[in-house]
Amino acid sequence: MRIGVIADDFTGATDIASFLVVNGLSAIQYSGTPKKTINTAASTDAIVISLKSRSCLVNEAISDSLEALEWLKAQGCSKFYFKYCSTFDSTSQGNIGPVTDALLEALNCKHTIVCPALPVNGRCVINGHLFVNHQRLNESGMKDHPVTPMLESKVELLMNNQSKGLATSVFYNDVEKGSEHLKKTMDTLFDKGSNYIVVDAFTDQHLNIIAQASFELPLVTGGSGLAAGIAQSFKNKSLRKTQLKSITPLAAPSVVISGSCSQMTNAQVNMYLNLAPHFQVDVGECINNSAYDDEICQWVLNHQNTDLAPLVYATAPKEQLKITQNKYGEEKSSAAVEALFAKVCKKLQFAGVKNFVVAGGETSGSVTKALDVEALEIGAQIVPGVPWVKALNTSIFLALKSGNFGDIDFFIKAQQLITHKNTQ
């Protein structure tokens, strides 16, 4: 059996790949759906495809996800995992529900589970409600997300509002009775017409039970937390064990790029400002100054002889972000910043920068595309859900952080794993 993962953004893909690898499976991550069979996929337990389908048009998200599914099937995958954010980032139109429906139809299935929980990072489902660090989802910082504001915490309602079928919740008292009981409970609900079962989970043991109970389902959906249990179940079924590779970056020119405006990334940036050289991106310059990328690139190269890598950031608190968006337009300002980061990183790569620490899902996608990264090996975890990864086709190392992940000193922790050797 081989697992095929379809992730709706780049940091989410490295997130789940990391959990699979840490729990004993080999995995390789691709940037988008490859156009052909690739030999590196032949000997791995899990193949992860990172898409940019979280906040695009629904039809585009469906088309990209189905293309990924067909490619994964051609590589011999027989169990599939639709990975979305543990905060269920979506609108009332999608894209989680419509993509789930399309994948089920393509697999000739009628039902699956919905499991966004990631307890190690404070995402828990309790009595059907999604919590973020002890706050209901709609009371957390996610209520102010600029693209997918989350105004409801009951996952069953979120799913019912954006999908074709019927969602039903199973609560923790049924989960805690074990995998056999949970499987019977889910089968009964499936027989009664439920298409998606939202399962309570607020401990790793809950996730292990859910993984065992859903092992025979062709498709599961959720955040990355369920991946640990699936990896354990996979090993138990196949008796395979994979030796975790020690992949860490070598000492080399480095940079920190931050595009996320989440609460956690704001806190991480604010801490780092006191410790390292920093350059704040001006959106007006992004739009009007064609030489702005050269200016920033030279600034980064001029600040390589410091203990910590220089930071280039567009991260801003929500009040400042709102002012910028009102002045330049939300889409225009966002596109300008992401295009700038792509140009800067491409030029830095050409100038010899090897290690890129990147905050934000959209930013990570823009940077990896600009660096021509086709596939990634998964390395050492910096924090749960954020590993160092190495590009297979270049000597580039990346740490790709989802906006709300990591501790306040994440940028420092990432660099502490750099191996200081004289050779490359």
Side-chain angles (χ1 to χ4, degrees), residues 282-294:
D282 183 290
V283 174
E285 289 291 290
C286 284
I287 295 171
N288 300 313
N289 183 356
S290 61
Y292 198 39
D293 57 322
D294 289 322

Side-chain angles (χ1 to χ4, degrees), residues 250-397:
L250 301 177
S254 306
V255 67
V256 179
I257 302 289
S258 183
S260 168
C261 290
S262 71
Q263 286 183 342
M264 179 52 73
T265 303
N266 267 283
Q268 291 161 343
V269 165
N270 287 337
M271 178 185 183
Y272 201 71
L273 294 181
N274 299 316
L275 303 171
H278 48 274
F279 189 112
Q280 185 172 19
V281 171
D282 183 290
V283 174
E285 289 291 290
C286 284
I287 295 171
N288 300 313
N289 183 356
S290 61
Y292 198 39
D293 57 322
D294 289 322
E295 177 185 337
I296 295 175
C297 183
Q298 191 58 54
W299 179 88
V300 171
L301 296 175
N302 290 342
H303 289 84
Q304 285 300 313
N305 295 321
T306 55
D307 291 336
L308 292 171
L311 164 70
V312 180
Y313 69 104
T315 300
K318 63 180 182 180
E319 297 82 6
Q320 184 180 336
L321 177 64
K322 197 66 177 177
I323 292 172
T324 300
Q325 291 175 338
N326 288 338
K327 184 175 182 179
Y328 299 106
E330 181 178 328
E331 290 187 10
K332 186 176 182 180
S333 56
S334 176
V337 169
E338 298 305 337
L340 174 77
F341 283 145
K343 291 178 183 177
V344 168
C345 289
K346 185 66 177 176
K347 290 182 177 180
L348 289 175
Q349 179 190 28
F350 184 77
V353 173
K354 301 288 187 183
N355 302 325
F356 294 80
V357 180
V358 187
E362 294 294 316
T363 306
S364 294
S366 297
V367 169
T368 52
K369 184 177 181 180
L371 297 177
D372 294 323
V373 173
E374 297 175 356
L376 296 166
E377 286 186 284
I378 311 302
Q381 268 198 347
I382 303 164
V383 295
V386 190
W388 273 105
V389 294
K390 181 184 182 300
L392 287 181
N393 57 320
T394 69
S395 57
I396 296 297
F397 286 87

Side-chain angles (χ1 to χ4, degrees), residues 196-213:
Y196 335 100
I197 293 182
V198 180
V199 195
D200 273 7
F202 47 88
T203 69
D204 289 341
Q205 181 57 25
H206 289 159
L207 292 173
N208 289 336
I209 291 169
I210 295 166
Q212 293 170 32

